[in-house]
């Protein structure tokens, strides 16, 4: 026993490390559920997609729907607004994206975005006719002063990115599925 | 401080008890006889004020939890019911809400006292670091408590502050979902905030225990910053400082009671009396007053730096403004503790205090025009004070001569030496 102890690694050392390793895995496995319970639960995840009829939204009007507890901005853009969005040169944009990249082809009048400022998560103004629309005729976040243009692209202020586009699919001419 | 044991158990029962659990000995040594520098001024009483307010917050909080409902549908009305229906609920809820403001007012005084008198310097670094830990825990507790009434400001504060974590590259979004328990702030968020808001004060109390333990190893700093040299420099904590602390607690209770009885909502934002609406952001989001300086720093970074976006940059400076406090003991290299003997340090310190007040003001203003520029200047000075000014002046400054002892600083040289001769 004494000679074994002085000759470096022993059977006992191995058992010691192996026991410790199994213990660590066990502790990790026990702790993980306690952390993962904080993630979105099954009822939240189940509300992943909704369908919406665009027909009542007239040209030049906006509408807000709720998806996953978040506001979805729907805007029926006028020809002039689409032309304005297309005319913006790419070098003026902080997060470059063409107007076509932000809408479904053939449905360019429908701009559908998650209405949450990419800075710290406020809901920008601009959906109501009486709202401030910012310096670029789109949306304006009152919290920290981010200005978005009529394609929902960030133009000025602390927000780093354009308003995020949700996954959408046109089920018919006017029925759209979000999520 | 060892060797200050004056406890002699009287009688067989006390002696028997002392040999098994020396809690009376401990109390006598640390709560009554603890040798305290006799020159400490009123700025030193705020530690006791803070301990007192912590107890008030825990007691009123436990009572409020008996009536509050942490559910997004019911929370707002349950707080209103506490204020209108529960017996004395108006006063208990008011005390808890105003108590949070009083807590921060006292902690800022306590922190600035430490910064001025160099209370963070060796051998009190751990004491200081534990204090910063308590400050961080207080901010987390206050933030989550503010969310519980589930008004508009509650909801949007929760949204904006949890969103700060989304700025962390790669793991930001999973962390955000983990914190909120959903794709947006919702019932799950409210529930966990209630759970943690109940837990954290007890963790604060535990760290306060460590803070006082770390204080009782070297003993108190004092206004001249010279260590205690003999028993002539100290007085027992009780009754000299227990009475002084009690007096200040009574003085603090005057504005405290005024707010509770006459203006319980004046320190809050009126928008928090609008129930939370996830689809409508209030036109102007402001945090509670005690977070305003840090909020101003968060908003001051509205420009990209190299590969760091303005959003991440704001978060880095926001976090950094608190993290830098942990390193103050090693940034200020001056051997002289007290600002009283540091002629070069003093103007920069008072400028730092003014700058902090300016940031508080700016945090409440809209983020445009001159306010943005001033926020940037204020943020720059905040960091420059710790990272540039303190290290440099501690090298170039010629401090004023220090008194030989605390006794000498109080009594003058002749009397102090006479006292020694006795």
């Amino acid at each position: 026993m004494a000679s074994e102890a002085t000759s470096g690694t022993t059977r006992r050392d191995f058992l010691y490390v192996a026991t410790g390793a199994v213990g660590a895995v066990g502790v990790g496995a026990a702790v993980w559920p306690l952390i993962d319970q904080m993630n979105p639960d099954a009822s939240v995840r189940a509300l992943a997609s909704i369908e919406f009829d665009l027909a009542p939204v007239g040209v030049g009007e906006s509408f807000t729907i709720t998806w996953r507890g978040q506001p979805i901005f729907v805007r029926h853009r006028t020809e002039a607004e689409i032309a304005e969005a297309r005319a913006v040169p790419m070098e003026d944009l902080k997060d470059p994206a063409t107007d076509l990249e932000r809408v479904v082809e053939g449905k360019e009048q429908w701009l559908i975005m998650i209405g949450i400022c990419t800075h710290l998560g406020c809901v920008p103004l601009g959906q109501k006719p009486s709202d401030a629309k910012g310096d670029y005729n789109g949306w304006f976040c009152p919290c920290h002063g981010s200005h978005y243009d009529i394609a929902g692209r960030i133009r000025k202020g602390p927000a780093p990115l354009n308003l995020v586009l949700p996954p959408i699919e046109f089920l018919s001419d006017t029925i759209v599925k979000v999520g | 401080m060892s060797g200050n044991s004056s406890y002699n158990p009287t009688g067989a029962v006390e002696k028997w008890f002392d040999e098994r659990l020396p809690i009376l000995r401990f109390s006598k040594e640390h709560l009554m006889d603890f040798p305290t520098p006799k020159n400490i001024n009123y700025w030193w009483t705020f530690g006791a004020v803070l301990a007192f307010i912590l107890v008030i917050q825990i007691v009123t909080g436990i009572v409020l939890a008996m009536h509050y409902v942490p559910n997004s549908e019911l929370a707002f009305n349950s707080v209103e019911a506490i204020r209108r229906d529960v017996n004395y609920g108006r006063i208990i809820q008011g005390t808890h809400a105003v108590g949070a403001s009083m807590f921060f007012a006292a902690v800022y005084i306590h922190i600035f006292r430490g910064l001025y008198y160099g209370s963070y310097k060796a051998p009190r670094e751990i004491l200081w670091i534990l204090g910063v830990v308590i400050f961080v825990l207080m901010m987390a507790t206050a933030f989550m408590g503010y969310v519980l009434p589930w008004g508009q400001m509650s909801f949007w504060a929760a949204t904006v502050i949890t969103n700060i974590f989304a700025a962390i590259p790669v793991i930001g979004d999973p962390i955000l979902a983990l914190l909120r328990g959903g794709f947006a702030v919702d019932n799950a968020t409210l529930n966990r905030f209630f759970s943690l808001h109940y837990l954290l004060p007890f963790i604060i109390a535990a760290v306060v225990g460590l803070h006082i333990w770390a204080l009782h190893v070297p003993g108190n700093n004092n206004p001249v910053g010279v260590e205690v040299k003999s028993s002539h420099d100290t007085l027992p904590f009780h009754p000299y400082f227990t009475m002084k602390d009690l007096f200040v607690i009574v003085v603090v209770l005057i504005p405290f009671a005024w707010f509770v009885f006459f203006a319980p909502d004046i320190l809050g934002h009126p928008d928090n009396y609008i129930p939370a609406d996830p689809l409508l952001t209030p036109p102007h989001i402001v945090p509670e007053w005690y977070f305003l300086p840090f909020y101003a720093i968060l908003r001051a970074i509205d420009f990209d730096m190299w590969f760091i976006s303005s959003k991440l940059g704001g978060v880095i400076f926001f976090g950094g403004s608190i993290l830098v406090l942990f390193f103050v003991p090693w940034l200020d290299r001056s051997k002289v503790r007290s600002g009283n003997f540091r002629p070069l340090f003093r103007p920069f310190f008072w400028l730092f205090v003014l700058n902090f007040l300016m940031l508080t003001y700016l945090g409440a203003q809209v983020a445009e025009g001159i306010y943005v520029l001033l926020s940037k200047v204020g943020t720059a000075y905040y960091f420059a004070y710790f990272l540039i000014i303190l290290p440099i002046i501690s090298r170039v400054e010629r401090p004023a001569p220090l008194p030989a002892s605390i006794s000498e600083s109080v009594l003058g040289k002749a009397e102090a030496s006479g006292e020694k001769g006795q």
Side-chain angles (χ1 to χ4, degrees):
Chain A
M1 192 65 201
S3 65
E4 224 183 345
T6 50
S7 69
T9 317
T10 63
R11 217 167 88 91
R12 179 156 297 200
D13 288 335
F14 172 77
L15 287 171
Y16 202 65
V17 172
T19 311
V22 170
V25 170
V27 169
V31 165
W32 175 243
L34 296 173
I35 295 170
D36 191 43
Q37 54 80 23
M38 291 178 73
N39 273 316
D41 69 11
S43 72
V44 172
R45 293 196 303 268
L47 293 173
S49 72
I50 53 163
E51 285 174 23
F52 180 70
D53 186 1
L54 296 171
V57 185
V59 178
E61 287 180 1
S62 297
F63 201 79
T64 307
I65 53 178
T66 310
W67 173 67
R68 292 180 168 181
Q70 301 168 320
I72 299 293
F73 286 177
V74 178
R75 172 131 184 109
H76 194 168
R77 300 190 296 177
T78 62
E79 288 299 327
E81 288 172 340
I82 296 170
E84 181 190 332
R86 286 183 180 172
V88 177
M90 283 301 108
E91 54 266 32
D92 284 4
L93 296 173
K94 195 171 176 183
D95 178 16
T98 63
D99 187 53
L100 269 176
E101 285 167 353
R102 300 189 49 80
V103 291
V104 174
E105 207 176 332
K107 306 265 182 202
E108 286 92 345
Q109 72 273 36
W110 295 108
L111 180 63
I112 300 175
M113 313 176 292
I114 298 177
I116 289 183
C117 181
T118 56
H119 180 224
L120 289 175
C122 298
V123 178
L125 299 172
Q127 285 293 90
K128 287 189 204 132
S130 58
D131 280 351
K133 294 182 187 302
D135 296 353
Y136 296 90
N137 191 31
W139 288 265
F140 169 68
C141 183
C143 294
H144 306 101
S146 292
H147 300 251
Y148 297 92
D149 69 11
I150 194 60
R153 295 172 296 200
I154 180 66
R155 299 297 291 273
K156 187 177 152 189
L161 299 170
N162 301 333
L163 289 176
V164 175
L165 305 174
I168 57 168
E169 190 189 338
F170 277 89
L171 301 177
S172 74
D173 224 27
T174 58
I175 305 285
V176 67
K177 181 176 154 215
V178 180
Chain B
M1 293 247 133
S2 55
N4 56 299
S5 177
S6 56
Y7 179 69
N8 283 312
T10 51
V13 176
E14 238 179 79
K15 196 158 184 296
W16 181 88
F17 196 78
D18 190 53
E19 282 163 3
R20 283 155 183 82
L21 180 68
I23 194 167
L24 291 173
R25 175 182 299 277
F26 179 86
S27 306
K28 182 123 173 47
E29 285 174 12
H30 287 278
L31 301 177
M32 297 182 73
D33 294 345
F34 191 74
T36 309
K38 62 184 176 186
N39 62 335
I40 57 175
N41 56 31
Y42 276 110
W43 300 116
W44 260 263
T45 58
F46 282 86
V49 171
L50 287 163
F52 171 75
I53 299 175
L54 177 62
V55 172
I56 288 190
Q57 292 302 83
I58 288 177
V59 171
T60 52
I62 287 170
V63 172
L64 288 173
M66 295 178 187
H67 303 277
Y68 171 76
V69 187
N71 176 289
S72 59
E73 299 288 326
L74 305 169
F76 186 88
N77 287 336
S78 78
V79 174
E80 288 309 299
I82 289 170
R83 292 175 61 117
R84 290 153 200 263
D85 298 345
V86 174
N87 301 335
Y88 294 101
R90 179 179 76 88
I91 293 167
I92 297 166
Q93 194 272 344
T95 305
H96 196 71
V98 172
S101 281
M102 292 291 138
F103 211 163
F104 275 93
V107 90
Y108 282 129
I109 293 174
H110 195 63
I111 291 170
F112 278 110
R113 189 269 290 156
L115 285 173
Y116 181 80
Y117 290 110
S119 297
Y120 45 81
K121 290 181 190 179
R124 296 184 180 83
E125 300 96 321
I126 299 285
L127 172 60
W128 172 263
I129 287 168
L130 288 168
V132 180
V133 169
I134 294 168
F135 181 53
V136 172
L137 289 170
M138 274 176 67
M139 301 217 299
T141 310
F143 158 65
M144 288 192 278
Y146 189 59
V147 173
L148 301 185
W150 212 240
Q152 272 290 64
M153 281 295 159
S154 299
F155 182 90
W156 290 100
T159 298
V160 169
I161 300 300
T162 50
N163 234 318
I164 284 177
F165 292 90
I168 302 168
V170 188
I171 56 166
D173 285 328
I175 286 182
L176 186 63
L178 188 80
L179 286 173
R180 291 176 171 175
F183 301 109
V185 171
D186 208 336
N187 190 47
T189 322
L190 177 61
N191 265 289
R192 67 196 51 193
F193 278 16
F194 178 62
S195 171
L196 293 172
H197 182 71
Y198 204 117
L199 166 72
L200 284 183
F202 296 98
I203 298 198
I204 291 176
V207 183
V208 168
L210 293 177
H211 191 62
I212 296 172
W213 186 1
L215 169 69
H216 279 211
V217 175
N220 295 76
N221 183 30
N222 65 80
V224 292
V226 176
E227 285 291 336
V228 169
K229 297 214 168 98
S230 74
S231 58
H232 293 297
D233 293 341
T234 64
L235 289 168
F237 183 64
H238 178 77
Y240 294 94
F241 297 100
T242 46
M243 289 305 119
K244 187 174 178 179
D245 289 347
L246 264 178
F247 170 69
V248 175
I249 285 170
V250 170
V251 171
V252 167
L253 277 172
I254 294 171
F256 197 145
W258 182 83
F259 280 121
V260 171
F261 292 119
F262 300 106
D265 296 319
I266 203 170
L267 296 166
H269 197 289
D271 274 14
N272 220 27
Y273 283 93
I274 303 168
D277 182 354
L279 298 185
L280 183 71
T281 306
H284 183 205
I285 294 185
V286 276
E288 292 286 84
W289 69 267
Y290 39 81
F291 290 139
L292 289 173
F294 302 103
Y295 193 61
I297 289 172
L298 173 73
R299 294 194 307 182
I301 311 301
D302 61 355
F303 48 91
D304 295 349
M305 287 170 286
W306 308 295
F307 59 92
I308 299 169
S309 71
S310 54
K311 178 174 169 177
L312 181 59
V315 171
I316 288 171
F317 275 74
F318 176 73
S321 64
I322 295 164
L323 276 180
V324 73
L325 294 173
F326 283 105
F327 300 97
V328 176
W330 295 277
L331 291 168
D332 181 0
R333 309 293 302 177
S334 173
K335 293 268 182 275
V336 175
R337 289 199 188 96
S338 171
N340 285 355
F341 301 96
R342 300 186 61 191
L344 196 53
F345 163 86
R346 271 202 305 276
F348 287 108
F349 171 83
W350 289 113
L351 191 57
F352 179 76
V353 174
L354 285 177
N355 184 61
F356 196 76
L357 294 174
M358 180 182 81
L359 285 172
T360 305
Y361 170 76
L362 292 170
Q365 305 308 312
V366 287
E368 52 191 43
I370 185 75
Y371 299 128
V372 177
L373 179 68
L374 286 174
S375 296
K376 287 174 186 168
V377 173
T379 303
Y381 185 73
Y382 183 97
F383 283 96
Y385 177 77
F386 289 117
L387 299 175
I388 300 167
I389 294 169
L390 277 186
I392 289 179
I393 56 174
S394 55
R395 279 185 176 77
V396 301
E397 182 178 52
R398 271 196 63 185
L402 291 170
S405 70
I406 292 170
S407 231
E408 188 187 297
S409 77
V410 176
L411 300 168
K413 212 168 199 165
E415 278 210 54
S417 58
E419 198 179 36
K420 267 176 205 154
Q422 279 170 7

